[in-house]
Amino acid sequence: MRRTQALRALASETHIDPAKFILPLFILPGEKREEQIPSMPGVSKVSVDKLSALAERLKSRAVLLFGVPDDKDKDDTGESALLDDSIVASAIRALKAARPEIAVITDACLCAYMKHGHCGVVRGDAVDNDATLRLLARMACAHARAGADMAAPSAMMDGQVAAIRSALDDAGFADTAIMSYAAKFKSAFYGPFRDAAHSAPQFGDRAGYQVPPGNRREAIRDALLDEHEGADWLMVKPAMPYLDVLAELRANTRLPIAAYQVSGEYSMLKSAALAGAVDERAAVLESITSIRRAGADAVITYYAEELCEWLG
Ligand code: PBG
């Protein structure tokens, strides 16, 4: 049954198609800016004025937006993330004006906006969970007002999905969905992202809020709590080091699941390809196939544009 392509195709179980990819985009303040990210060859950050041209040529049908404020504009309140003219709100409007059919998902987290680089409000040497909830809810509402289709809270605060859901509903955005970074592990694979977003914690680490890498049961419990709080999508992140969690979550929920092939996974594949160690296209397609096979409906990947091209 594996002798010919036609026979193999009859029995193939996992399909990858361009409608399943979400492309992360890093948005800079100001104008006419485009900066390469050194640890992620081929990925750059762009200012809002560049987005309509980018949208015109975009092959991905969904994007995930991250604001990258200049260091001088960071503070201890995260207020700049909550405004109706924040970097991300402006980016949403630009993308929706250029290509309204593109699904726009936005990250709801404060680490890139905070001087200390933690995902929420810091009191003493720890993040204040409940004070952070109010800010995340305001951030998601500002994005919804600008036209976002979906909020993706990544701060790993307890109760963040419920807080965002009720704030969106109260503000008249019952149709704005929530993609919860439900099982987000404390991972070394976020390294290149933190370089790109200047969001590395300035003291301590994220062990106080992200899932310990060895805890599968805890990750599933966390994800199911988010479902209970009203999440429309669940996410497992990173993807390849956590395929067992993805498969187990698939068996335990009826919600769609996204998997995030994170910056470090991208950099590993890209470095191996640049070193001539693997065939880039084959290796990336295999990585996505494995993530889909484990149970992901959609895959967030920095390779989304290349994948759309390769798949035609
Ligand atoms: C913000 C956030 C991070 C990523 C997505 N949202 C970094 C972190 O938690 O430090 C990582 C994405 C990637 O590595 O591609 N909290």
Side-chain angles (χ1 to χ4, degrees):
M1 65 188 272
R2 297 183 190 144
R3 204 165 38 80
T4 69
Q5 172 55 27
L7 290 173
R8 289 191 294 273
L10 283 177
S12 80
E13 299 175 36
T14 304
H15 303 280
I16 51 179
D17 95 65
K20 296 296 188 181
F21 301 128
I22 301 169
L23 176 72
L25 289 175
F26 296 102
I27 316 295
L28 293 168
E31 283 181 16
K32 298 199 174 68
R33 290 176 68 182
E34 177 151 10
E35 296 172 11
Q36 304 292 323
I37 301 165
S39 50
M40 301 177 75
V43 180
S44 49
K45 307 180 258 190
V46 293
S47 55
V48 173
D49 56 306
K50 302 252 183 193
L51 286 179
S52 58
L54 188 150
E56 300 288 327
R57 56 173 197 273
L58 203 67
K59 298 184 189 69
S60 306
R61 296 171 207 180
V63 294
L64 173 60
L65 305 184
F66 294 95
V68 184
D70 290 327
D71 288 342
K72 65 173 170 45
D73 296 324
K74 300 183 189 224
D75 59 19
D76 292 334
T77 69
E79 202 67 28
S80 64
L82 318 179
L83 307 172
D84 282 321
D85 63 350
S86 73
I87 306 170
V88 169
S90 310
I92 297 163
R93 286 190 293 266
L95 286 167
K96 283 290 186 184
R99 295 269 307 275
E101 77 280 11
I102 292 176
V104 177
I105 309 167
T106 60
D107 190 72
C109 185
L110 296 158
C111 57
Y113 303 85
M114 294 288 202
K115 241 193 207 113
H116 50 64
H118 277 288
C119 296
V121 179
V122 167
R123 289 213 205 295
D125 57 3
V127 170
D128 181 336
N129 188 93
D130 292 4
T132 304
L133 296 182
R134 287 185 282 280
L135 302 188
L136 295 174
R138 283 176 58 199
M139 188 172 184
C141 287
H143 296 170
R145 272 193 296 279
D149 295 294
M150 205 154 14
S154 71
M156 290 302 283
M157 296 298 124
D158 288 344
Q160 62 183 8
V161 172
I164 290 173
R165 184 70 271 156
S166 83
L168 286 171
D169 289 349
D170 289 349
F173 296 107
D175 284 342
T176 308
I178 299 178
M179 175 183 276
S180 170
Y181 283 67
K184 178 174 177 179
F185 289 87
K186 179 191 174 289
S187 175
F189 293 103
Y190 307 146
F193 175 100
R194 292 181 190 168
D195 284 347
H198 300 264
S199 64
Q202 298 303 300
F203 65 89
D205 57 23
R206 305 212 199 290
Y209 38 103
Q210 298 181 344
V211 184
N215 288 10
R216 185 170 59 179
R217 206 170 52 219
E218 181 178 332
I220 302 294
R221 188 188 57 189
D222 232 355
L224 296 180
L225 275 172
D226 283 4
E227 172 167 1
H228 188 71
E229 288 181 24
D232 302 285
W233 278 80
L234 301 175
M235 189 198 300
V236 174
K237 173 191 176 182
M240 278 207 350
Y242 297 93
L243 294 182
D244 58 328
V245 177
L246 191 51
E248 187 167 334
L249 187 57
R250 179 66 287 158
N252 282 283
T253 180
R254 291 192 175 87
L255 291 185
I257 303 176
Y260 198 148
Q261 183 175 54
V262 299
S263 57
E265 296 179 78
Y266 173 86
S267 297
M268 285 198 299
L269 285 161
K270 186 57 97 178
S271 307
L274 290 174
V278 296
D279 176 284
E280 183 171 32
R281 180 171 162 160
V284 173
L285 286 168
E286 186 177 332
S287 74
I288 301 295
T289 301
S290 73
I291 294 165
R292 293 267 296 142
R293 187 198 62 231
D297 295 284
V299 184
I300 304 165
T301 171
Y302 300 94
Y303 272 114
E305 287 294 279
E306 289 89 333
L307 281 159
C308 290
E309 211 168 289
W310 295 334
L311 296 167

